[in-house]
Amino acid sequence: MHEVLHPIQRMLAANAQWADDVSETEPRFFEESAKGQSPHTFWIGCADARVPDSVITAARPGEIFVHRNIANQLRLDDHNVLSALRYAVDYLGVQHVIIVGHTECGGAAACLGAAQSPSLSLDGPITTISSLPVESALNRWLEPLTRIAASLQVSSIPHAEALPLVVEENVRIQVENLANTQTITDAWTKGTRKGQAVWIHGWVYELKTGRLRDLNISRGPPGAKLSK
């Protein structure tokens, strides 16, 4: 009878096996990896465990620089994502920054539920998660997305039909926020430290198919054309 490993033990064992397998097929891989990273893309996605960026894009370690949070938001007052963006563009030289949402997003679903509630008031702080205080970190984080959901006026639409609308609109608004960051504004008006052109994109990952869907809202430097 095989011993059932605790999840933590299983992850450590799987890592050891993976490292051995990589070393066998590419003996110099880790040595080269330790010298530095040169990612082509900065991925801003949801923290949902079903959307692992490197797995769903078949990317190798070092190819994608990553920031993830609840409901893939880019807040203009969030120093965490803004510092990662500045580092990615100016010091790593990424050429693409992608906001990636996904279907069946729990954060978006919670915000939609609050937006569809008859008791919702937009006049003050919003309690998206009713079991938590309005000033809790989670409620404060979700409030902008709840306001986005409310702006769509989907209170009369069944939740299952409205959720994809919220997910997609959220990506569109976060891409707009991204375009308004100082880092992207500088990249498009002054150029970047490493001289690369920077493009921003919005995608949605479809959980039921495993496919990424491009919302076709890509933007880049004035006058530039995105090569296919």
Side-chain angles (χ1 to χ4, degrees), residues 133-181:
V134 66
E135 70 274 10
S136 69
L138 186 53
N139 273 325
R140 291 171 63 186
W141 179 257
L142 291 175
E143 180 174 336
L145 182 50
T146 299
R147 292 184 181 276
I148 290 172
S151 73
L152 296 176
Q153 300 181 339
V154 292
S155 58
S156 62
I157 301 177
H159 190 278
E161 294 179 21
L163 183 55
L165 302 178
V166 175
V167 167
E168 187 168 316
E169 182 65 11
N170 182 40
V171 171
R172 293 181 183 278
I173 287 179
Q174 304 314 319
V175 169
E176 186 62 31
N177 286 346
L178 175 59
N180 289 325
T181 61

Side-chain angles (χ1 to χ4, degrees), residues 1-184:
M1 182 176 181
H2 294 290
E3 180 183 1
V4 178
L5 294 178
H6 185 278
I8 296 298
Q9 294 175 316
R10 187 168 65 246
M11 285 192 289
L12 290 171
N15 166 256
Q17 184 63 59
W18 170 77
D20 288 344
D21 291 344
V22 171
S23 294
E24 183 175 346
T25 56
E26 297 184 62
R28 293 180 54 83
F29 177 82
F30 293 114
E31 180 181 342
E32 294 299 319
S33 180
K35 294 178 180 179
Q37 59 176 323
S38 299
H40 49 71
T41 294
F42 180 31
W43 174 291
I44 302 174
C46 182
D48 193 297
R50 300 167 294 179
V51 195
D53 48 276
S54 60
V55 174
I56 66 176
T57 61
R60 290 166 58 86
E63 292 183 341
I64 303 178
F65 192 63
V66 181
H67 176 90
R68 295 169 68 179
N69 60 49
I70 296 175
N72 46 273
Q73 297 185 76
L74 191 147
R75 300 266 296 274
L76 296 177
D77 60 354
D78 179 9
H79 295 295
N80 191 343
V81 68
L82 294 179
S83 60
L85 175 64
R86 177 65 74 176
Y87 182 69
V89 170
D90 283 357
Y91 298 94
L92 295 179
V94 301
Q95 298 172 302
H96 302 279
V97 183
I98 313 173
I99 302 288
V100 186
H102 67 94
T103 56
E104 309 305 327
C105 176
C111 294
L112 173 60
Q116 290 183 320
S117 171
S119 62
L120 176 70
S121 172
L122 301 176
D123 293 334
I126 296 175
T127 303
T128 301
I129 307 298
S130 60
S131 60
L132 294 174
V134 66
E135 70 274 10
S136 69
L138 186 53
N139 273 325
R140 291 171 63 186
W141 179 257
L142 291 175
E143 180 174 336
L145 182 50
T146 299
R147 292 184 181 276
I148 290 172
S151 73
L152 296 176
Q153 300 181 339
V154 292
S155 58
S156 62
I157 301 177
H159 190 278
E161 294 179 21
L163 183 55
L165 302 178
V166 175
V167 167
E168 187 168 316
E169 182 65 11
N170 182 40
V171 171
R172 293 181 183 278
I173 287 179
Q174 304 314 319
V175 169
E176 186 62 31
N177 286 346
L178 175 59
N180 289 325
T181 61
Q182 192 63 54
T183 296
I184 297 301

Side-chain angles (χ1 to χ4, degrees), residues 178-194:
L178 175 59
N180 289 325
T181 61
Q182 192 63 54
T183 296
I184 297 301
T185 298
D186 287 348
W188 288 351
T189 59
K190 303 176 183 178
T192 60
R193 289 171 59 96
K194 290 181 174 289

